[in-house]
Amino acid sequence: MIPQPGRVLSDLAMKLAMSIAPETTSSFAMANTGLISLLMLSLAQDSERAVANRMLDIDDMKALFRSKDAQPAPGADLRAAYCDSAPSGLRLSEMDAFHGEGLTMLIDLHAWAEAHSPLLDRAIWQFLRAHTERNKFDLPNL
């Protein structure tokens, strides 16, 4: 059997919220059980989409870094090297490290764009909106 982390975490979270939380006699324990359930559901959602979302972000950041509006900004050589590279592997930790490098460069580029390139500034804000939308959690009311 191949474990499916998202499904397992969701099932455990719902069991905790629907079967165990109502059986607790303490409002504190019930609140903690609900919080743990929501955290487990969040992990379940993220486990299913994490690598795909990181790769979408990476592709979008590379497009921003390659744009003509980004070329005059300091650090063009570092951004070009990033665009020519890839994560060291397919593990989430490796994706996160590479993704983090891109976000660090994006912060510097955004600071420059705010003062020098309204078009690039707008494009970066569009990226940030897309990033938050694809990473938001859709959680039930427990």
Side-chain angles (χ1 to χ4, degrees):
M1 179 179 97
I2 298 174
Q4 297 175 333
R7 180 77 258 148
V8 170
L9 284 167
S10 292
D11 290 347
L12 289 172
M14 294 311 291
K15 179 73 172 171
L16 193 60
M18 301 302 181
S19 299
I20 296 172
E23 297 295 324
T24 61
T25 57
S26 155
S27 59
F28 178 76
M30 191 177 292
N32 275 343
T33 305
L35 178 62
I36 292 167
S37 295
L38 288 174
L39 290 172
M40 291 173 73
L41 287 170
S42 298
L43 283 170
Q45 283 182 20
D46 204 49
S47 74
E48 292 296 316
R49 67 185 186 192
V51 172
N53 282 358
R54 301 312 187 276
M55 289 308 298
L56 287 170
D57 280 354
I58 289 165
D59 290 345
D60 289 352
M61 285 188 287
K62 285 182 176 185
L64 286 168
F65 295 162
R66 288 183 176 118
S67 73
K68 65 176 177 52
D69 295 319
Q71 298 314 308
D77 55 336
L78 293 173
R79 291 190 304 275
Y82 182 84
C83 290
D84 292 337
S85 61
S88 61
L90 297 177
R91 289 187 174 93
L92 183 55
S93 59
E94 294 161 332
M95 294 284 175
D96 279 342
F98 190 73
H99 184 262
E101 290 174 34
L103 288 175
T104 298
M105 285 186 271
L106 185 68
I107 291 168
D108 293 338
L109 182 61
H110 197 193
W112 178 87
E114 286 177 333
H116 299 95
S117 177
L119 289 175
L120 182 59
D121 180 48
R122 189 173 312 116
I124 292 171
W125 278 112
Q126 289 170 345
F127 162 80
L128 293 171
R129 180 176 176 98
H131 166 80
T132 58
E133 284 298 312
R134 70 176 142 243
N135 286 289
K136 72 180 177 183
F137 293 110
D138 183 24
L139 300 173
N141 292 327
L142 298 178

